[in-house]
Amino acid sequence: MKGVNLGNWLVLEKWMDPEMFAGSEAEDETYFCKGLPEEEKQRRYKKHRDSYITEQDFQYIAEAGFDTVRIPVPYFLFEDFEPFIHCYEYLDRAFEWAEKYGLKILVDLHTVPGGQNGTDNSGLCGICTWSTKKEYLDITLDVLEKIAERYGKKEVLWGVEALNEPMCSDTPLSEYMNIQMLGKVYHPEDPEMAKDNTNYPLSYLRDFYRSAYDRMRKYLPAEKVIVFSDAFYLEGWEEFFKEKQFENIVLDTHQYLTMVEYGFGEDRPIEKYENYLEGLEKLLTDTAAKVPTIVGEWSLGNSMTGYEKAGEDEKAEALHRLYMVYRKAVDVCDGWFYWNYKLLASEPEKQVWDMRTCLENKWITID
């Protein structure tokens, strides 16, 4: 699979479309919604959802050479959980457009009640309380079952991802990525709510995956894939995947240079990135030989040094050089999805996150 994410359509991320948040100090979708009058909220969401992704975008994606789209959806997909507005009608449209243009769909549950990782992409900055209430778990499992029931028999459905980027308390990266560290970057709007922050262990996540599998497989035919995020612990899933009740499951790993380049030092020439990506290729090759694996998110986002005064042609050459090494790494997996299809942000450093801009500038090529 060669895919692209449709992020910031049904799950908002402020950095990808600051204009949507105009007049609001909120950093996440939850408090953005809470701060808007009802009529204004309805108006903004309708305008955004009607225009951000349209049928023409599906045509563009197919003609560009991609074959699959990964669509992040919220837990309020089917019903209004205060203060949110449901959005399943737009996912219905996506299935119609995908069928028309020959694309497959991976539906990705991107947010859950209470937040699963404390970042803006969970819809709730600085808050990670998903594991603290049975009600939150029940809502999560219910929406996954409804997704499977509503879309499971559709030809264009490739699979359903149970949860985006969970962060556990007992992985090798937990000290860096747990909620205490994230709290320094993603500040909670409500400090009282943050007092209940609880990072859950891998055992909790694996139990959730077992329950999610059972609830979805009731409706998903065997040929439809169920995807589990690696929780930023790529090496930790071989034994779990051997459990006999699982059929047609895939591991999703997210591989961003921006998450590792802090270890490159202040001097970050392209060679350091290439050396890292060569090591990543070996790691992905080893993992993919043991369990079916996709790279659900990756991009050319980086902080390379040495090109500050370079011309546009030289910068473009460097980005394409980086892309080719990156592609060599992710191509060892069963598929990959670039993040993201589009951004509505003007800063030059964000351009590499917009697949359309990357294609137009030939920083990336699809073959």
Side-chain angles (χ1 to χ4, degrees), residues 22-88:
S24 171
E25 297 297 320
E27 295 298 325
D28 58 47
E29 186 166 7
T30 298
Y31 282 92
F32 171 67
C33 282
K34 284 185 175 183
L36 288 175
E38 185 62 28
E39 185 175 334
E40 176 66 7
K41 180 170 62 177
Q42 294 282 348
R43 184 192 71 80
R44 287 202 194 192
Y45 268 90
K46 186 176 190 312
K47 180 181 178 182
H48 171 80
R49 290 168 174 172
D50 283 346
S51 62
Y52 195 80
I53 297 294
T54 67
E55 179 180 340
Q56 286 68 39
D57 294 305
F58 274 70
Q59 182 178 3
Y60 181 103
I61 290 167
E63 292 177 351
F66 295 95
D67 52 41
T68 315
V69 290
R70 180 173 180 261
I71 306 180
V73 299
Y75 69 89
F76 51 90
L77 178 66
F78 294 109
E79 56 186 302
D80 294 348
F81 286 95
E82 183 64 29
F84 303 111
I85 305 169
H86 71 273
C87 53
Y88 69 88

Side-chain angles (χ1 to χ4, degrees), residues 126-141:
I127 304 296
C128 186
T129 61
W130 171 60
S131 64
T132 63
K133 294 184 179 181
K134 184 178 182 298
E135 174 190 0
Y136 291 168
L137 179 62
D138 289 342
I139 291 172
T140 305
L141 293 170

Side-chain angles (χ1 to χ4, degrees), residues 95-150:
F95 273 87
E96 294 172 4
W97 298 334
E99 182 176 6
K100 183 174 181 178
Y101 294 104
L103 295 169
K104 293 287 189 178
I105 289 178
L106 169 57
V107 179
D108 153 52
L109 185 60
H110 218 70
T111 73
V112 292
Q116 75 275 22
N117 59 31
T119 74
D120 59 341
N121 67 54
S122 73
L124 195 56
C125 288
I127 304 296
C128 186
T129 61
W130 171 60
S131 64
T132 63
K133 294 184 179 181
K134 184 178 182 298
E135 174 190 0
Y136 291 168
L137 179 62
D138 289 342
I139 291 172
T140 305
L141 293 170
D142 285 347
V143 71
L144 287 170
E145 184 172 335
K146 289 176 182 177
I147 290 170
E149 182 178 13
R150 188 176 186 87

Side-chain angles (χ1 to χ4, degrees), residues 201-212:
L202 276 164
S203 58
Y204 183 90
L205 181 64
R206 287 170 176 152
D207 283 343
F208 162 70
Y209 282 166
R210 293 181 183 101
S211 298

Side-chain angles (χ1 to χ4, degrees), residues 176-238:
Y176 170 70
M177 302 189 73
N178 65 18
I179 196 64
Q180 286 74 32
M181 177 62 74
L182 287 168
K184 298 178 181 179
V185 179
Y186 298 98
H187 302 287
E189 184 81 11
D190 183 353
E192 281 298 311
M193 191 175 179
K195 291 180 179 178
D196 293 329
N197 281 347
T198 303
N199 261 133
Y200 41 91
L202 276 164
S203 58
Y204 183 90
L205 181 64
R206 287 170 176 152
D207 283 343
F208 162 70
Y209 282 166
R210 293 181 183 101
S211 298
Y213 178 91
D214 290 341
R215 294 281 289 269
M216 289 192 285
R217 194 52 86 190
K218 288 191 301 183
Y219 298 100
L220 290 179
E223 67 270 16
K224 305 299 184 183
V225 176
I226 292 177
V227 179
F228 296 140
S229 167
D230 69 349
F232 302 100
Y233 184 27
L234 185 58
E235 308 93 324
W237 296 93
E238 182 179 359

